[in-house]
Each structure stands twice: as structure tokens, then as C-alpha cells.
Amino acid sequence: MDAVKQKPIPLLDLRAQHAHIRDEVLAEVIRVIDSQKFIMGEDVKKLEQEIAAYSSAQFGVGCASGSDALYLALLGIGIQPGDEVLTTPYTFFATAGAIHRAGAVPVFVDIEAATFNMDMDQVAGVLARHPKVKAAIPIHLFGGCADMDPLCAIARERGIAVIEDAAQSIGSEYKGRRAGSIGDVACFSFFPSKNLGGYGDGGMLTTNDPALYERLAALRVHGSKRKYYHDWVGINSRLDALQAAVLRVKFRYLDSWSQGRQENAGRYRAQLASLNLPVTAPVPADYQTRHIYNQFCITAPRRDQLQSYLKEAGIGTEVYYPLPLHLQVCFADLGYKAGDFPVSERLAQESLALPIHSELSTADIEQVCRTIQAFYASR
């Protein structure tokens, strides 16, 4: 049975979001253009202060992307070629890519099925087999924090630095504590699809360590604390003033957008449960005291067929992520094989992100759920 096309529902509707803030954004963009000051400056400094305070951190360091933030964090904590860095294989490529770029070796640990985040019960065993691990990068995936206390405890015992990959989780909370303030340093992304997304690329690091802040701030400008004098070898990774100006406008709306996503997640859970569908909706763990739903990922049997059916009906979806990192061709030399991380591999075959953005209406969510119901009823 073919899907019935109704009103198109995109996975993310940035045009609708932009329509609400267009005049405010254009005014700020024109102001920056008229100033002819595009590199660093007051807009970047103010955004750094705002994001740091929002994340309960002392310091913020703007940079060119979330990917660069991860790389800078590794440089900042002193990761050396040959060191090992613990993370999960179920995330966007940038995390393991930054580890490799720093000359280090990714060491993977599987995830929990319920949260898509690092399975802390497996960490001690993995570390016992990998004594060269110098840092851990837990990912706060899809807008929900990883279980940080057990990881931070074992990291302190072993002298391991903790880098929060909070690219998808600005404003999320772990036991009432904000992402970005729990580890030694945290990394955020302002890619346009994020809850706080720019009109191009951008990133941010946060930390409570003054010495690390000083080093990170220098590393993003070729390792220089003052012009033409270099204490370290860094990179060119500055946040554009135009992006900072846009982000400062959007930042005013972030909490209301996050609240809209939270409300939509609740509507999805209620609707999917009432229809008794054979899918599993995400439910925050007790320690995830504020989930901000960068994505709303269900697990579903016959996922690929369901996705095709929803596409035919005009409903946008995405698979995050179809191939775990340990099975990527570029990491074949790490020696992992299929079956090494069964939860990651299963979720790669079953997970499907549904539209969750705050511009959705209750009717939109009902339409998505009814279309899912129609797919399973026809098979």
C-alpha cells in the first residue's frame, strides 16, 4: 500500500524559524557589515560570555566549527601522537576524526540502548585493556547528557581528562548541572541544524580552568597570545563576527525553542503509545534532568522501509547514524570488526529521527504518527 501524501512536514524547518527573527537578524548583520569588523571583536566576546554563563562555565572560546572545538580541546589538554582517547562508535564522525587529527587513537566503548550514550558499566573494562588512554570524550547525543558522575570518578582516579562533546546539547542538564560545566572542557557546535544554529559554521569551547582557557584562546589563533608571538602551534579557527551577531539574536529564543521541542517530544510519546505502535520512543534517563531534543530518534522494525514510506508521504526523517565509526573504512586499521559493539550496530539499523523542531503543530505530530501507523497496518 502506497503512502497518502498530505501536508509536507520537513525534518527541520529553518525557513519558518528565520521568518520569526528575520528583521532582528538582518539589522545585526547590517550593523556588522557597516562596521567592517569581521574577525573576532565585541560580538564574539559577548557571545562567549553569554554561552559560558548559560552553560554554568567561567570561560568561553569561540571557534570556526564544532569539529575544530573538539580538535582544539584535545590540543589544549595536551594529547600527544600515540595517546589513546575513549569515546563511542555511535556518533557523528567529527569526534573520532578530531582524535585521529590530533595523532591519537580512538578507543571505543559501546552505548546504552535507552539513551544512545556511552555505557558507563563498560568503561572500566575497556580502560583496563587500554592503559594508554589519556582522555575520554562522552557524547551528549541527541540533546541528552551522558551519565557523567561514574565517568568523571574513574577519570579522576586514572588522571584522564574529560572532554564533553556537547555539540547537540546546549542547555541540557545532568542532575541539574549544565552540559559544558561538568568535564574539564566542553565543545559546542553552531551548525545550522543545531538548536542554536548559525547561518553557517561555528563552534565554542567552555571550561572552568583559567590556564586551559588561556591556552585554548591562543590555540585558535595559531597559538598566539599577542600578535606575531607564538607560545604553541595552534590553528586558524576563529568564529566570524557575523556568525556571532546572528547567534546572539537566536540565543534570545533558545529556551523557548527548547521548550517547544520538549513539548513536542511529550506529544510524540503520548500519541505513539495511544496507537500501540511497534516502535520505541526515547525517554530521558532519571539523570537527564533537562533533555533538549536536538533529535527525536525512535527505534523501529523495518526502519528503512518505514523511512521510504514516510518520505513518500512528504514527511522528512533522517538516520543518525547508518554505520558506526568502528566499521568505517578509514578506521579499518584500528582492528575492530562487526559484532564488537552490538548495541551501536543494532541501533544503526533501527533508529530513525522524526521531525521535532518547535515550529511543529500538534496536528503535524498526529499526522506523522498516523502515517507510521498506516505503514505497519499495511504490512
Side-chain angles (χ1 to χ4, degrees), residues 85-264:
V85 179
L86 188 75
T87 192
T88 72
Y90 191 89
T91 186
F92 181 59
F93 181 81
T95 312
I99 296 168
H100 179 83
R101 186 178 170 192
V105 180
V107 171
F108 295 123
V109 59
D110 211 353
I111 60 173
E112 301 172 324
T115 65
F116 296 87
N117 285 333
M118 186 179 287
D119 185 345
M120 299 305 171
D121 289 339
Q122 298 189 34
V123 168
V126 175
L127 290 177
R129 298 191 296 274
H130 292 273
K132 293 167 65 177
V133 167
K134 296 296 195 305
I137 307 181
I139 294 104
H140 302 321
L141 202 66
F142 300 150
C145 287
D147 191 0
M148 295 296 292
D149 281 350
L151 179 63
C152 289
I154 196 168
R156 281 193 300 270
E157 291 174 5
R158 295 169 183 250
I160 294 170
V162 176
I163 300 170
E164 296 175 70
D165 184 340
Q168 300 181 8
S169 294
I170 187 166
S172 63
E173 294 181 0
Y174 172 77
K175 297 182 180 179
R177 290 177 281 161
R178 280 283 166 97
S181 65
I182 306 168
D184 296 282
V185 60
C187 306
F188 294 93
S189 169
F190 301 131
F191 188 78
S193 64
K194 299 298 191 289
N195 287 26
L196 181 61
Y199 286 8
D201 256 321
M204 183 79 70
L205 300 109
T206 57
T207 184
N208 286 305
D209 183 332
L212 181 55
Y213 162 69
E214 184 179 83
R215 184 176 170 94
L216 292 169
L219 285 168
R220 65 165 168 191
V221 285
H222 299 292
S224 174
K225 290 192 286 186
R226 59 190 179 113
K227 197 171 183 179
Y228 302 132
Y229 294 84
H230 302 267
D231 298 290
W232 304 283
V233 177
I235 61 173
N236 176 22
S237 182
R238 296 170 290 211
L239 180 63
D240 288 342
L242 280 166
Q243 292 302 334
V246 169
L247 289 162
R248 292 192 68 220
V249 172
K250 297 186 76 174
F251 181 62
R252 302 169 197 158
Y253 297 89
L254 178 58
D255 280 338
S256 64
W257 291 339
S258 294
Q259 182 178 345
R261 288 170 175 267
Q262 291 165 340
E263 291 170 354
N264 286 338

Side-chain angles (χ1 to χ4, degrees), residues 26 35 48 83 85 91 134 187 193 198 227 252 284 286 288 297 315:
L26 290 182
S35 78
E48 289 172 338
D83 289 343
V85 179
T91 186
K134 296 296 195 305
C187 306
S193 64
K227 197 171 183 179
R252 302 169 197 158
D286 289 343
Q288 293 176 321
C297 286
I315 296 170

Side-chain angles (χ1 to χ4, degrees), residues 275-296:
L275 296 174
N276 196 30
L277 297 176
V279 303
T280 302
V283 178
D286 289 343
Y287 56 77
Q288 293 176 321
T289 47
R290 188 176 191 240
H291 200 300
I292 52 92
Y293 294 100
N294 181 247
Q295 304 296 344
F296 185 87

